[in-house]
Amino acid sequence: GMLPERRRRVIDDTTPVDWKNVEWLRRFLSERGRMLPRRMTGNSLQRQRVIAQAIKRARHMALLPFAGPEGS
């Protein structure tokens, strides 16, 4: 594939998803603040959705940045 050699499999089914747990949520974001795809995190579809919700909420609470323009 075109992905560099950083195999970032986060797989963690045990930690309860909590939007206040910012450090933990950051593991699911790219350097640019975008959500990593499931193939990189190993999340189930259902869990990916829950995490996405948590990230959105954290963003609205200004705990996480919104994904900026691709060039920044």
Side-chain angles (χ1 to χ4, degrees), residues 2 5 7-8 10 12 14 16-18 21 25-26 30 32 35-37 41-43 45 47 52 60 65-66 70:
M2 295 179 24
E5 206 24 76
R7 271 266 145 277
R8 272 208 287 178
V10 182
D12 169 358
T14 53
V17 180
D18 179 3
N21 194 347
L25 287 174
R26 279 214 168 95
S30 69
R32 301 183 191 281
M35 182 135 195
L36 293 175
T41 61
N43 284 320
L45 184 56
R47 189 164 168 83
H60 282 291
F66 285 90
E70 209 46 62

Side-chain angles (χ1 to χ4, degrees), residues 17-36 50-68:
V17 180
D18 179 3
W19 61 271
K20 295 185 291 294
N21 194 347
V22 181
E23 276 313 304
W24 181 80
L25 287 174
R26 279 214 168 95
R27 299 161 53 194
F28 301 101
L29 296 175
S30 69
E31 297 73 55
R32 301 183 191 281
R34 293 180 178 284
M35 182 135 195
L36 293 175
V50 177
I51 290 171
Q53 279 309 118
I55 288 173
K56 271 181 190 159
R57 183 172 270 165
R59 282 173 174 156
H60 282 291
M61 297 308 217
L63 299 177
L64 283 175
F66 285 90

